[in-house]
C-alpha cells in the first residue's frame, strides 16, 4: 500500500479519463491517472474527434439556432426512448458547455461549414435537421493534445504502461485501485478504461450482433479496449447498461481498415438487396445505414462498373483499382460483362436488377435521386458533381455488411453525476465512470459521428467534477433507484 491518499485516481488516459482528470484538478484535487499503454489517447486519439453538441458558439457563428431541448428530442426519438431520459437530458445539456470548455482550453473549431469528419468546422453528424457535428482541428489527436497540455499545467500525474488490475473496495465503498500489485488509496476512482472491442470473448457476450461480420469482422478501436471496466464492475455488483449495443460500420467484405487507410468506395455505386432492388441512399449516415443494411432480405451487395473501378484514387490500402481487380480475379468480388450475367452470379432476379440500375442511371447521374434523396446527402458533404452512370462493363458486385467494429456501449450504468450504480440502483460510494466504460448514453442507435467522443468528454468532465464533491463521493440513493 502506498502512503499517499489521492483525491482522485483515474483509470485510463483516453478522452473520458483526461477530461475527468483535468476537471478534477481544476477543482483543486490531487489526481493520479493510470494508462495501460505506452502513450495517452486510446480510441479518442484515433478518432476524427467529431463531437456532437447543441447550442454552441460554433453553431451561432454560422447563424444556426439550436438547443439542448431539440438535441434531446432527436436523441431519444432515434433511440426509441429506450434510454433513461434524465441521463440523456444531462448529456444533451452538458455537451455544449463541454465543447466551450474544450475551446477555452485551446481546441480549435472554426465556424465554417464542413463537408465531412476530416474538415474542421460544423458538419451533419447523422440524420439531424440542425447540424451538430463539430470537427476540431487536428481531430481526435488534437483533442488529446489539448487535454494533455491542460493536465500537465494542473499537475495531474500520469503513470504510463500500468494497467490497473482491480479496485480496492472497503465496506462497499471504493477506496483505491491495485496496479502493479500495489494498492493506491484514493477518495474517489473514475473508471475511464474505454470499451471491450478488442476482447473477442466479451464482444461475443455483450455485443453478439458484431459477429454478423463473420470472417470480415475487423476492429479499429484502440488496443487498450479490453473491457477491464466489466471486471471492475463485478467487484461492486455494478448494474450493466447498453448491453448488446455498439457501433458497427458498413463496409464491403474486403475492407480491413478504417476509411482513413482503407479509402472510399466509388461515388458511382448502388446498394442492392437479395430481390435485386436498390434500397437506400448509399451515402446515408451510419446513424441509420447499418440498421438499413442489416434488415435487407438476402443480404446486400455494392454494385459499380469498370469506369468507377478505374477512377479510384491511388494511395489507399483497400479501395484502389488494383485491389478490386485482385479480389475479382480471386472470385471473391463478382465480375461480369453484363448486368444480367452479374445478377445471375449474385443470385438476384435479373429483371429487377436491370430495372433498378436503369432507374438509378436515369436519376442521380442527372442530378436528382427522387427515390432515396442521395443528392441531398451528397450536397451536405460538399459534393456537387453528379456520379457517372453504371454503364461500362465489366460490372462488379461486392458483399456489403457491417464489419468494422468501432466502439462498444455495454458498461457500468451511471447516473447524471456519472456515479456508478449497483444492481439496486444505488450509487457505489467513491466510484464514477465515463466514456465507453460508463454506460447509459450510447444507445441502440448511434446518433451520428461525434456521439461517442461527446459522451466520453462530457461525462468524463462530469465524473471529474463529481469525484471532488464529498456528498457525491459518499454515495446516496440515485434518482433512478
Ligand atoms: C478509428 C476510430 C474513429 C472514431 N471516430 C469517432 C469520431 O470522430 N467521433 C466520435 O464520437 N467517436 C469516434 N470514435 C469512437 C470514440 O473515439 C470512442 O468511443 C471514444 O473516444 C472512447 O473514449 P474513452 O475515453 O471511453 O476510451 P479511450 O479513448 O479508448 O480511452 C480508454 C483508455 O483506457 C486505457 N485503459 C484500458 N484499460 C486500462 C486499465 N486497466 N488501466 C489503465 N488504463 C487502461 C486504454 O489504453 C485507453 O487509453 C472513433 C473510434 C475509432 C476507433
Amino acid at each position: 500500500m502506498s502512503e499517499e491518499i489521492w483525491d482522485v485516481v483515474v483509470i485510463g488516459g483516453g478522452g473520458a479519463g483526461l477530461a475527468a482528470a483535468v476537471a478534477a484538478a481544476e477543482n483543486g484535487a490531487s489526481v493520479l491517472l493510470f494508462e495501460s499503454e505506452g502513450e495517452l489517447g486510446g480510441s479518442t486519439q484515433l478518432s476524427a474527434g467529431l463531437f456532437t453538441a447543441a447550442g454552441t458558439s460554433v453553431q451561432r457563428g454560422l447563424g444556426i439556432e439550436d438547443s439542448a431541448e431539440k438535441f434531446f428530442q432527436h436523441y431519444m426519438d432515434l433511440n426509441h426512448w429506450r434510454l433513461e431520459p434524465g441521463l440523456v437530458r444531462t448529456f444533451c445539456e452538458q455537451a455544449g458547455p463541454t465543447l466551450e470548455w474544450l475551446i477555452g482550453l485551446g481546441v480549435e473549431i472554426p465556424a465554417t461549414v464542413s463537408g465531412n469528419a476530416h474538415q474542421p468546422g460544423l458538419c451533419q453528424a447523422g440524420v439531424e435537421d440542425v447540424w451538430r457535428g463539430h470537427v476540431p482541428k487536428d481531430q481526435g489527436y488534437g483533442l488529446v493534445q489539448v487535454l494533455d497540455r491542460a493536465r500537465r499545467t494542473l499537475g495531474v500525474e500520469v503513470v504510463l504502461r500500468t494497467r490497473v488490475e482491480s479496485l480496492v473496495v472497503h465496506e462497499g465503498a471504493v477506496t483505491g485501485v491495485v496496479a502493479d500489485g500495489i494498492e493506491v488509496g484514493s477518495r474517489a476512482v473514475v473508471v475511464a478504461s474505454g470499451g471491450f472491442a478488442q476482447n473477442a470473448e466479451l464482444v461475443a457476450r455483450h455485443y453478439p450482433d458484431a459477429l454478423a461480420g463473420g470472417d470480415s469482422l475487423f476492429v479499429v478501436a484502440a488496443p487498450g479496449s479490453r473491457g477491464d471496466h466489466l471486471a471492475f464492475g463485478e467487484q461492486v455488483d455494478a448494474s450493466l447498461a447498453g448491453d448488446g449495443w455498439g457501433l458497427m460500420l458498413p463496409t464491403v467484405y474486403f475492407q480491413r481498415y478504417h476509411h482513413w487507410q482503407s479509402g472510399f468506395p466509388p461515388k458511382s455505386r448502388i446498394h442492392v438487396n437479395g430481390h435485386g432492388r436498390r434500397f437506400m441512399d448509399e451515402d446515408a449516415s451510419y446513424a441509420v445505414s447499418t440498421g438499413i443494411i442489416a434488415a435487407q432480405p438476402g443480404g446486400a451487395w455494392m454494385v459499380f462498373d469498370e469506369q468507377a473501378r478505374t477512377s479510384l484514387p491511388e494511395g489507399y490500402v483497400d479501395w484502389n483499382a488494383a485491389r478490386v481487380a485482385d479480389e475479382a480475379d480471386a472470385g471473391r468480388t463478382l465480375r461480369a460483362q453484363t448486368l444480367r450475367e452479374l445478377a445471375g452470379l449474385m443470385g438476384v432476379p435479373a429483371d429487377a436488377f436491370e430495372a433498378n440500375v436503369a432507374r438509378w442511371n436515369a436519376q442521380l447521374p442527372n442530378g436528382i435521386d427522387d427515390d432515396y434523396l442521395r443528392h441531398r446527402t451528397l450536397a451536405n458533404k460538399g459534393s456537387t458533381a453528379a456520379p457517372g452512370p453504371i454503364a461500362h462493363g465489366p460490372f462488379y458486385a461486392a458483399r456489403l455488411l457491417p464489419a468494422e467494429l468501432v466502439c462498444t456501449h455495454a458498461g457500468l450504468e451511471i447516473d447524471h453525476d456519472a456515479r456508478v450504480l449497483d444492481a439496486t440502483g444505488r450509487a457505489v460510494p467513491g466510484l464514477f465512470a465515463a466514456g465507453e466504460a460508463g454506460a447509459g448514453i450510447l444507445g441502440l442507435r448511434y446518433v451520428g459521428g461525434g456521439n461517442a467522443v461527446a459522451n466520453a468528454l462530457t461525462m468524463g468532465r462530469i465524473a471529474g467534477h463529481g469525484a471532488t464533491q464529498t456528498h457525491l463521493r459518499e454515495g446516496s440513493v440515485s434518482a433512478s433507484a
Side-chain angles (χ1 to χ4, degrees):
M1 169 98 180
S2 72
E3 294 293 303
E4 188 167 4
I5 303 286
W6 296 82
D7 288 327
V8 182
V9 162
V10 178
I11 308 175
L18 283 167
V22 171
E26 282 179 340
N27 285 356
S30 60
V31 185
L32 177 64
L33 183 151
F34 287 103
E35 167 54 52
S36 59
E37 309 306 300
E39 62 174 354
L40 295 170
S43 287
T44 310
Q45 172 149 270
L46 304 178
S47 81
L50 189 51
F51 188 117
T52 42
T56 67
S57 56
V58 179
Q59 290 175 312
R60 282 193 298 279
L62 284 164
I64 293 169
E65 264 187 51
D66 196 13
S67 66
E69 179 64 38
K70 280 187 179 173
F71 186 18
F72 168 72
Q73 187 71 41
H74 176 70
Y75 202 109
M76 292 301 291
D77 289 351
L78 204 60
N79 278 293
H80 302 187
W81 285 76
R82 286 176 65 184
L83 302 173
E84 190 187 282
L87 178 60
V88 173
R89 178 81 202 198
T90 300
F91 166 68
C92 292
E93 280 172 357
Q94 290 304 315
T98 301
L99 191 89
E100 303 305 337
W101 175 68
L102 291 166
I103 291 172
L105 291 175
V107 170
E108 290 177 48
I109 307 174
T112 51
V113 171
S114 154
N116 59 58
H118 305 283
Q119 197 184 331
L122 187 75
C123 68
Q124 187 176 26
V127 290
E128 75 277 23
D129 55 350
V130 181
W131 288 14
R132 303 200 174 96
H134 295 73
V135 188
K137 181 170 169 285
D138 299 331
Q139 316 249 258
Y141 175 81
L143 293 176
V144 169
Q145 291 305 303
V146 166
L147 286 166
D148 188 30
R149 199 168 62 221
R151 73 94 195 156
R152 283 171 199 269
T153 307
L154 290 160
V156 171
E157 283 199 36
V158 164
V159 185
L160 294 174
R161 294 182 192 83
T162 305
R163 183 176 175 186
V164 170
E165 294 145 32
S166 59
L167 303 175
V168 178
V169 185
H170 185 66
E171 293 179 354
V174 174
T175 57
V177 300
V178 178
D180 282 343
I182 298 168
E183 266 189 38
V184 178
S186 68
R187 294 181 177 81
V189 170
V190 178
V191 181
S193 49
F196 55 84
Q198 292 287 359
N199 183 326
E201 201 183 315
L202 291 177
V203 170
R205 197 179 317 155
H206 294 290
Y207 188 25
D209 283 0
L211 305 180
D215 290 346
S216 295
L217 175 67
F218 64 102
V219 181
V220 293
S225 309
R226 303 182 200 93
D228 288 354
H229 60 299
L230 297 170
F232 301 145
E234 279 176 19
Q235 287 188 262
V236 292
D237 193 23
S239 167
L240 274 197
D243 207 30
W245 299 336
L247 177 62
M248 295 291 298
L249 300 189
T251 63
V252 293
Y253 74 90
F254 61 76
Q255 271 179 245
R256 284 292 174 272
Y257 299 94
H258 194 51
H259 57 245
W260 293 14
Q261 290 157 280
S262 200
F264 299 88
K267 186 157 133 186
S268 178
R269 69 186 190 283
I270 58 169
H271 295 171
V272 298
N273 62 22
H275 296 320
R277 295 196 52 185
R278 181 174 176 233
F279 60 87
M280 70 182 295
D281 165 3
E282 290 77 9
D283 287 306
S285 157
Y286 44 77
V288 293
S289 59
T290 303
I292 295 170
I293 290 166
Q296 294 313 305
W301 298 92
M302 181 186 291
V303 171
F304 49 93
D305 72 1
E306 180 68 353
Q307 188 146 321
R309 182 188 73 83
T310 53
S311 308
L312 286 167
E314 290 304 315
Y316 290 110
V317 181
D318 292 325
W319 279 109
N320 65 68
R323 176 79 200 276
V324 174
D326 287 349
E327 287 298 314
D329 289 347
R332 292 184 290 260
T333 290
L334 306 180
R335 179 172 52 197
Q337 292 305 321
T338 66
L339 290 170
R340 187 153 276 273
E341 201 189 322
L342 189 66
L345 294 176
M346 291 157 71
V348 306
D351 287 348
F353 179 58
E354 281 185 328
N356 275 261
V357 173
R359 179 157 178 80
W360 187 81
N361 283 345
Q363 292 193 65
L364 196 55
N366 296 310
I368 301 289
D369 174 12
D370 281 328
D371 296 342
Y372 295 101
L373 309 181
R374 186 172 163 205
H375 56 281
R376 298 204 320 186
T377 315
L378 285 170
N380 289 346
K381 289 174 186 273
S383 168
T384 45
I390 298 174
H392 307 276
F395 300 97
Y396 298 85
R399 264 289 178 203
L400 183 65
L401 71 179
E404 177 177 348
L405 175 52
V406 179
C407 60
T408 56
H409 299 180
L412 315 182
E413 184 183 357
I414 54 171
D415 69 4
H416 55 245
D417 290 309
R419 297 183 299 178
V420 172
L421 304 181
D422 69 14
T424 70
R426 289 183 179 82
V428 177
L431 191 62
F432 296 77
E436 289 180 51
I441 290 160
L442 295 177
L444 76 157
R445 287 284 186 205
Y446 199 78
V447 300
N451 196 165
V453 164
N455 170 55
L457 298 181
T458 304
M459 299 317 291
R461 181 172 176 239
I462 289 174
H465 277 306
T468 62
Q469 312 289 315
T470 310
H471 70 287
L472 292 176
R473 273 201 307 243
E474 286 174 354
S476 58
V477 177
S478 139
S480 59

